[in-house]
Amino acid sequence: DTAVSQTPKYLVTQMGNDKSIKCEQNLGHDTMYWYKQDSKKFLKIMFSYNNKELIINETVPNRFSPKSPDKAHLNLHINSLELGDSAVYFCASSQGQGFEKLFFGSGTQLSVL
Amino acid sequence: DAKTTQPPSMDCAEGRAANLPCNHSTISGNEYVYWYRQIHSQGPQYIIHGLKNNETNEMASLIITEDRKSSTLILPHATLRDTAVYYCIVSKPDSWGKLQFGAGTQVVVTP
């Protein structure tokens, strides 16, 4: 079983649409994250959630709304998609405050046309 | 969090040791050194981390200088599957996963 799985792997959509990316982890971790990797390959954290509570929001536009229905899931909903949202989005999880290590999913390639 | 400096790229022959340097001269006392790698089209993968002592696991060894201003990741016997971008990151233990990834070092292992 994949430890951190996210769907879909590829997402192509038009500007202005609303889309969601789903993430699930089966590691029993209590903290989950969303990272964004832009076209220059820089990885940057967007959100951290611990036990379904938001811990970090790195000045992400309000169009991005994470939802954590339970500790094993952290979905990312994006409203009114813009061209600049095109990127690879990675979900990750860890135990506690992420001291030991983060486990990353394989990424969702989002292309906004 | 302290910033790190890594060479942009390096080559390594298959079967040889790969030594990846990292400078973190502004590291503070409670910041750990983490190494991750990202194989093409995959998510980042944790390799190892340490505070001041040298560390070894099944993937690699981490050597941290006594003044903690630099470190070296050692892949003891590089394979083609070790071709990846390697990131050196310094972070506090209570960072809630906020890892500052830089540009990393592109390592290419050649036959």
Side-chain angles (χ1 to χ4, degrees):
Chain A
D1 282 345
T2 303
V4 181
S5 58
Q6 48 183 115
T7 55
K9 186 167 178 61
Y10 300 98
L11 187 53
V12 181
T13 188
Q14 299 286 332
M15 262 195 322
N17 284 350
D18 303 338
K19 290 294 178 185
S20 292
I21 306 172
K22 295 186 176 182
C23 179
E24 175 181 6
Q25 55 94 4
N26 63 4
L27 299 168
H29 290 161
D30 55 7
T31 308
M32 295 185 72
Y33 314 87
W34 279 106
Y35 270 78
K36 177 181 179 181
Q37 187 166 37
D38 61 24
S39 58
K40 295 183 178 179
K41 303 297 184 185
F42 285 104
L43 270 158
K44 187 173 169 60
I45 192 168
M46 301 172 70
F47 302 103
S48 291
Y49 265 75
N50 175 257
N51 285 317
K52 305 192 295 176
E53 297 290 328
L54 179 65
I55 303 296
I56 290 177
N57 179 342
E58 279 292 295
T59 60
V60 178
N62 291 338
R63 299 183 296 103
F64 290 79
S65 54
K67 293 285 193 300
S68 182
D70 55 57
K71 287 197 315 182
H73 296 84
L74 182 63
N75 303 321
L76 184 64
H77 189 76
I78 315 170
N79 290 326
S80 303
L81 278 155
E82 301 177 356
L83 294 176
D85 297 331
S86 295
V88 182
Y89 292 84
F90 290 98
C91 178
S93 73
S94 72
Q95 192 58 35
Q97 298 179 21
F99 165 66
E100 286 292 324
K101 53 185 169 180
L102 272 60
F103 291 79
F104 285 82
S106 58
T108 295
Q109 171 83 59
L110 172 64
S111 298
V112 183
L113 307 177
Chain B
D1 289 344
K3 296 293 185 289
T4 62
T5 303
Q6 300 177 251
S9 64
M10 62 184 297
D11 294 336
C12 178
E14 189 177 20
R16 304 294 292 269
N19 296 296
L20 283 63
C22 179
N23 286 322
H24 31 79
S25 58
T26 60
I27 192 170
S28 60
N30 66 342
E31 287 183 313
Y32 283 71
V33 180
Y34 293 83
W35 283 85
Y36 281 76
R37 73 180 183 183
Q38 187 173 23
I39 296 169
H40 183 61
S41 297
Q42 296 184 21
Q45 178 190 23
Y46 167 87
I47 301 173
I48 200 166
H49 76 283
L51 182 63
K52 48 186 170 182
N53 296 325
N54 297 337
E55 303 287 345
T56 296
N57 63 20
E58 65 279 3
M59 289 184 70
S61 294
L62 173 60
I63 309 298
I64 303 174
T65 57
E66 193 169 343
D67 64 7
R68 302 209 323 123
K69 292 185 177 182
S70 65
S71 60
T72 300
L73 179 74
I74 301 172
L75 307 178
H77 304 287
T79 71
L80 298 179
R81 287 175 293 183
D82 292 323
T83 292
V85 178
Y86 287 76
Y87 298 98
C88 171
I89 301 163
V90 292
S91 183
K92 296 183 173 69
D94 58 350
S95 65
W96 289 104
K98 185 177 176 181
L99 301 176
Q100 293 194 349
F101 287 84
T105 296
Q106 172 68 64
V107 173
V108 176
V109 181
T110 55

